[in-house]
Amino acid sequence: MRNIFLLLLLFTQQVFSQVEKNVELEVVGRPSWQMMIPMQEDGLIFLVKSDITKAMVYRFDKDLNKLWEKEVYLDAEDPPKAYTLADDHITLMFSETSGMYYQVFKFNLATGDTDQDGFELREYFVDEDYVFLGDKVIMAGSNEKGAAFFIHDFMEDMGKLKEQNQIQGKVSVNLFEYLPESGIIESLWSVKTKGYSNEKKKKGEFVKDAFVVHALLDTAGNVISKTEIKQTGGKFPLDARLVRMPDGEKLVMGMYQSNAGDKGIYAVNLSNPSKLKTYSFTSLLKGRQALSVKDLEALMTSYQFMPNTPVLGEDKVIFGGSFVKAQFQTITEEDPNYRYSPYGSTYGRSRYNPYYTSRNSRTTSRQVFRGYHYPVGFILELSAHGDFINANRVDLNNVSFQVEPAIAYNEKGAVAYCLKGDLAANNFNIGTKPLLYKLSEDEKKDLNPSALSYIPTYTGVRFWYNNYFIAEGSRSKVEAISVDNEFQKENSKKKRGLFGRKKDNTPSSYAQVRKIIYLTKIASGG
């Protein structure tokens, strides 16, 4: 009987979750950011900023077989904000920190062949998203008035800024997608309008209204149609995500905040935009062990909610996200200037010196950034009309140096997330206890991200397609490299030491990082 139970348990776990494949990539230099771009069953694009001026681009198929890799010259500090997939190509655009110069790379998905271009933008414009259409790029963002677009023509090497006077206020782009079947651009904008307690003197600024705009645009940035999603019962929508249903209906969801400080998730069908259905975070974060009132208050006031992209499942929409906050640690050290005065001949502070201000403490304190703390998240299942089906809390208590969604969910409703350097996968339809996958059996005594970077650990996971996830992990090692300069050896005299002996020239040295990146494909919920 016991053997039958073990076989049944093993079969259940295999159905629940399994590792399909794991690959390793090695990057040497000064790697910084890395970025995964899942392309459903068309595979995966993986980018790594490998050095100060270099980046590596990899293409994998849906079975995680590497098809090609390319090294490109990239003088940008941040990953791209968006990308465009069209005509068997992927187009990426990178900008400088100041946002004045843009580098554009267009990769052939089959061969990896690359076309490169660039342009300057010298007008005030905050870019957030973009689409490439032939030889043009249409950038969506804002200026001091509200929504704006910058359209650059690569053939003519000319660009122009276009203001959109129908969407005004402090705006943020939530969706900007070209629909080739209709030749229009579908967009979502979150808008905040401000007011003043003293309107005449423009003093006492406050947020007067917050709402979401769904707009269909032509390729010149003109509004074809516009729908506003306004507050209901004092609950104001702050951002938006869009799900297109098989029957043509469109469901918009995002985060709301009320006048009383309550926060949560709203959902609304675009066919009836005035009927918001809302679900508070307090109700969505219920679990087998309830969170304390203190923890809930901290989540509402000190943490930011980071939403995931919604996924269309079987007769339901799956949505969720996690809470995040920058975490700092106060370090106290002994003050080296406490016992010594540069203007006195004796140690200590007993001798009066008018030019040296005495400190009241022997120690100094400073704050050190420890990473971003992700305490908890949740997944929510809704009907096509936004009605509540189910919700499950995911306890994380994870710390990372990166700001990115901490959990992922697939079309089957399974969830995956990183937990103290391991990869956890869970299907709430089967049970609440997750399965853990480890890259290493090394003991993780220190869970600080800087300490975990030297052992193989998982750092992020994304939904790929169907019931598959793609997880990334890494391990870094710092290497000291010594370089002999032959020209300097031949043309320089040996220096003399303290006692007249000649000593050899010290070779130049520098440090480099050897980073091993792990990509793991797992199936869960199938």
Side-chain angles (χ1 to χ4, degrees):
M1 186 70 180
R2 183 172 179 270
N3 292 334
I4 295 175
F5 173 76
L6 290 175
L7 288 172
L8 179 62
L9 178 63
L10 179 61
F11 174 76
T12 302
Q13 289 180 337
Q14 287 178 342
V15 171
F16 164 61
S17 183
Q18 63 181 6
V19 173
E20 296 285 321
K21 190 173 183 179
N22 185 69
V23 298
E24 296 183 13
L25 307 172
E26 184 178 76
V27 177
V28 180
R30 296 183 182 179
S32 53
W33 54 261
Q34 54 198 52
M35 178 180 179
M36 287 193 297
I37 303 177
M39 301 183 296
Q40 295 288 316
E41 296 192 39
D42 289 330
L44 173 77
I45 293 290
F46 188 71
L47 296 89
V48 184
K49 184 67 185 298
S50 55
D51 214 327
I52 298 176
T53 58
K54 295 178 182 178
M56 295 296 300
V57 183
Y58 303 87
R59 165 81 197 283
F60 297 89
D61 64 13
K62 68 175 185 177
D63 297 317
L64 210 53
N65 299 310
K66 187 171 70 173
L67 302 179
W68 51 259
E69 66 177 80
K70 292 288 182 180
E71 184 180 64
V72 295
Y73 173 79
L74 178 62
D75 189 15
E77 297 178 2
D78 299 317
K81 296 178 181 178
Y83 57 89
T84 296
L85 286 165
D87 303 324
D88 298 321
H89 287 78
I90 183 170
T91 308
L92 306 164
M93 187 164 66
F94 302 83
S95 64
E96 297 175 342
T97 305
S98 59
M100 288 182 61
Y101 185 75
Y102 293 82
Q103 284 182 274
V104 178
F105 294 90
K106 187 175 183 179
F107 296 94
N108 186 306
L109 290 175
T111 63
D113 293 340
T114 310
D115 292 327
Q116 184 176 351
D117 212 326
F119 62 94
E120 286 187 331
L121 196 163
R122 295 190 172 275
E123 300 181 70
Y124 176 72
F125 176 74
V126 180
D127 65 287
E128 294 187 70
D129 207 339
Y130 52 83
V131 293
F132 283 87
L133 297 176
D135 296 319
K136 295 192 302 183
V137 59
I138 305 172
M139 303 167 63
S142 61
N143 61 4
E144 62 276 1
K145 295 181 181 179
F149 306 96
F150 186 83
I151 304 173
H152 183 84
D153 191 313
F154 291 98
M155 294 295 292
E156 298 181 3
D157 196 20
M158 291 181 61
K160 61 179 180 179
L161 183 68
K162 177 182 176 61
E163 295 180 350
Q164 180 46 256
N165 54 18
Q166 295 191 45
I167 309 174
Q168 292 190 334
K170 185 178 181 182
V171 305
S172 180
V173 184
N174 299 150
L175 173 71
F176 194 69
E177 183 178 350
Y178 177 71
L179 306 178
E181 63 275 7
S182 58
I184 61 176
I185 296 173
E186 188 167 25
S187 65
L188 283 170
W189 308 73
S190 55
V191 184
K192 292 181 180 179
T193 58
K194 59 185 179 182
Y196 300 93
S197 56
N198 189 330
E199 186 68 33
K200 187 176 181 180
K201 295 184 178 180
K202 299 296 182 183
K203 291 185 178 181
E205 181 179 322
F206 64 93
V207 177
K208 185 178 181 180
D209 194 9
F211 56 95
V212 168
V213 174
H214 173 266
L216 297 178
L217 313 165
D218 62 19
T219 55
N222 300 307
V223 174
I224 299 173
S225 65
K226 183 180 73 168
T227 302
E228 293 186 352
I229 302 172
K230 293 279 194 174
Q231 59 91 14
T232 299
K235 297 178 179 180
F236 296 84
L238 301 181
D239 56 24
R241 302 291 187 274
L242 179 71
V243 177
R244 301 181 182 95
M245 311 304 293
D247 59 0
E249 294 289 316
K250 295 179 180 180
L251 187 69
V252 176
M253 60 191 66
M255 176 180 162
Y256 77 84
Q257 180 173 344
S258 72
N259 289 327
D262 176 44
K263 297 178 182 179
I265 299 299
Y266 76 89
V268 61
N269 194 299
L270 276 181
S271 61
N272 190 6
S274 62
K275 192 175 181 181
L276 264 69
K277 299 177 181 180
T278 59
Y279 311 98
S280 68
F281 284 143
T282 303
S283 64
L284 298 177
L285 291 173
K286 292 180 179 179
R288 297 181 66 181
Q289 183 175 354
L291 297 176
S292 67
V293 175
K294 183 179 179 181
D295 290 338
L296 285 172
E297 289 179 352
L299 289 174
M300 299 304 108
T301 57
S302 302
Y303 285 79
Q304 297 290 327
F305 178 66
M306 180 174 292
N308 283 47
T309 301
V311 172
L312 183 61
E314 298 175 354
D315 300 324
K316 60 186 175 182
V317 176
I318 305 168
F319 185 52
S322 54
F323 294 84
V324 60
K325 182 183 76 169
Q327 194 174 64
F328 297 87
Q329 180 182 9
T330 301
I331 296 179
T332 303
E333 300 172 321
E334 185 175 353
D335 183 3
N337 296 319
Y338 182 82
R339 301 290 297 171
Y340 173 68
S341 171
Y343 298 100
S345 58
T346 61
Y347 287 87
R349 295 269 170 84
S350 60
R351 179 177 175 179
Y352 172 73
N353 190 318
Y355 302 100
Y356 193 85
T357 304
S358 177
R359 298 178 185 265
N360 295 324
S361 175
R362 296 173 180 267
T363 59
T364 59
S365 298
R366 59 189 176 93
Q367 282 196 323
V368 177
F369 176 65
R370 292 297 303 271
Y372 296 98
H373 182 221
Y374 298 85
V376 68
F378 65 86
I379 59 172
L380 168 66
E381 296 179 359
L382 300 173
S383 71
H385 297 284
D387 297 315
F388 179 85
I389 297 177
N390 192 23
N392 287 284
R393 191 181 79 210
V394 182
D395 295 320
L396 301 168
N397 195 23
N398 201 39
V399 180
S400 171
F401 278 143
Q402 300 178 359
V403 180
E404 61 181 2
I407 65 174
Y409 40 79
N410 62 21
E411 295 176 359
K412 302 295 183 180
V415 61
Y417 51 96
C418 296
L419 188 65
K420 300 176 182 178
D422 299 328
L423 179 63
N426 199 348
N427 189 336
F428 290 103
N429 296 323
I430 298 176
T432 57
K433 187 176 181 180
L435 289 180
L436 293 180
Y437 301 95
K438 300 175 181 288
L439 282 173
S440 170
E441 294 299 328
D442 295 340
E443 186 177 358
K444 304 178 184 68
K445 296 181 180 179
D446 188 355
L447 296 178
N448 183 29
S450 58
L452 289 177
S453 64
Y454 296 103
I455 59 177
T457 53
Y458 283 108
T459 56
V461 60
R462 298 279 301 275
F463 165 63
W464 196 348
Y465 65 95
N466 295 340
N467 64 320
Y468 294 105
F469 295 104
I470 180 71
E472 61 178 307
S474 64
R475 172 178 61 86
S476 299
K477 182 174 69 173
V478 179
E479 300 175 336
I481 306 298
S482 178
V483 180
D484 289 331
N485 193 326
E486 298 295 335
F487 178 80
Q488 185 179 3
K489 273 185 177 181
E490 297 174 0
N491 295 275
S492 63
K493 297 180 180 179
K494 290 186 177 181
K495 299 179 181 178
R496 292 187 178 275
L498 291 174
F499 302 101
R501 293 194 297 266
K502 293 183 179 179
K503 62 179 183 178
D504 294 332
N505 292 317
T506 303
S508 301
S509 63
Y510 67 95
Q512 69 176 14
V513 176
R514 186 174 298 275
K515 187 174 186 179
I516 306 298
I517 298 172
Y518 306 91
L519 298 178
T520 305
K521 178 185 178 182
I522 67 168
S524 183

